[in-house]
């Protein structure tokens, strides 16, 4: 199996998106989820990236170990998910910043996937589990724009080496099934960027539902306009008039059941807001650092999701939401994590491509 996986939509391998856990680091299971399932892609498949030889294969091995084994046919990370579809209404405001066709006024079809972090597709939903949203926008001339976003504004690691070191520091002790609090504390003391990013994440409680969640690009990118001017950007999806969380749902799929209920009632909408950074001032190579809150923002359009279904070959089961699938007018920044994420996605897909596919873990008609 192959899928469309390049700037112009050519075929290539795929895999899952990236997780991260948040809130309290010294709180048992939350720490375990954070430590090992920190991201769905960091390390180049066979390239040396530091003093040791870290590879995409070793990262995926660790993800599988943390999930408690291999679940054939599922993504090795963000395994539990559901397919959605809809469109992006571009208001034309983005054309000032980028020549990408997606910012011309108009409507563009999209497919997407909501997910929860972790490699086990059958675990019960938990309110503190990081939520992912992958989008695949279909643009003129066969171009695509793919996004892989999560519901926290910063990431815990600035480099692949930091990620690898953190997974070791937060690895569960076989005797207790939990990370060693002393080891975690020492790691945070010696990695101030991770500690600072965690403090940012802990400032806000998770939204009660998928529909009320804000999703962030995390990495910085570059927009190129028609005059060739480049500006650094990040973006976020802000919920627009989301339905209220009733609190009436329960069970193992409480978040996904709530999403199905919300989408069956009416389409869900998010404002796509681009944050424009200051060149040479705001960091573009460090996903652990926030940009100042007074940076200019531009509302460039609205994502509307009006269909939801069980994952299958007919929708997004085999789509790789690789954030480097970009249209002309959008380019990667110098963030080292962007290129590295693709390598682990590829390795994850390589493993599951030949496996028997199972039905999506969230069966919509039963929700």
């Amino acid at each position: 199996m192959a899928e469309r996986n390049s700037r112009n939509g050519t075929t290539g391998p795929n895999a899952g998106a990236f997780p991260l856990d948040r809130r309290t680091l010294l709180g048992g299971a939350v720490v375990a989820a954070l430590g090992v399932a920190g991201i769905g892609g960091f390390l180049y498949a066979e390239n040396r990236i530091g003093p040791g030889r870290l590879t995409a294969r070793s990262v995926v091995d660790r993800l599988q170990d943390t999930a408690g084994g291999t679940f054939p046919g599922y993504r090795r990370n963000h395994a539990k998910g559901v397919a959605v579809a809809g469109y992006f209404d571009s208001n034309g405001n983005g054309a000032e910043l980028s020549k990408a066709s997606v910012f011309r006024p108009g409507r563009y079809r999209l497919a997407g996937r909501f997910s929860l972090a972790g490699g086990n597709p059958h675990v019960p939903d938990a309110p503190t589990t990081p939520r992912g949203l992958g989008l695949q926008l279909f643009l003129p001339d066969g171009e695509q724009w793919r996004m892989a976003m999560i519901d926290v504004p910063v990431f815990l690691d600035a480099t692949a080496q930091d990620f690898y070191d953190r997974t070791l520091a937060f690895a569960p002790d076989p005797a207790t099934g939990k990370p060693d609090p002393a080891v975690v504390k020492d790691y945070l003391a010696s990695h101030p960027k991770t500690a600072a990013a965690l403090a940012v994440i802990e400032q806000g409680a998770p939204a009660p539902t998928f529909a009320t969640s804000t999703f962030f690009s995390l990495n910085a990118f570059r927009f190129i306009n028609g005059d060739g001017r480049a500006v650094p950007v990040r973006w976020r999806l802000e919920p627009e008039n989301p339905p209220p969380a009733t609190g009436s749902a329960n069970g193992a799929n409480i978040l996904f059941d709530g999403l199905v209920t919300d989408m069956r009632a009416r389409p869900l909408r998010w404002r796509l807001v681009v944050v424009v950074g200051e060149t040479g001032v705001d960091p573009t190579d460090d996903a652990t650092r926030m940009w100042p809150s007074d940076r200019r923002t531009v509302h460039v359009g609205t994502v509307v999701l009006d269909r939801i279904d069980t994952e299958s070959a007919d929708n997004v089961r085999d789509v790789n939401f690789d954030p480097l699938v970009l249209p002309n007018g959008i380019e990667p920044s110098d963030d080292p994590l962007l290129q590295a994420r693709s390598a682990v996605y590829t390795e994850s897909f390589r493993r599951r491509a030949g496996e028997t596919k199972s039905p999506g873990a969230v069966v919509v008609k039963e929700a």
Side-chain angles (χ1 to χ4, degrees), residues 105-122:
R107 179 169 291 187
Y108 304 93
R109 181 174 64 91
L110 66 79
R113 181 179 189 265
F114 284 102
S115 63
L116 293 179
N120 184 342
H122 306 299

Side-chain angles (χ1 to χ4, degrees), residues 257-279:
D257 288 352
L259 177 64
V260 172
T261 298
D262 288 341
M263 289 192 64
R264 283 178 173 168
R266 61 181 171 90
L268 300 181
R269 302 167 63 90
W270 281 262
R271 290 162 46 97
L272 178 55
V273 176
V274 173
V275 182
V276 183
E278 292 192 7
T279 302

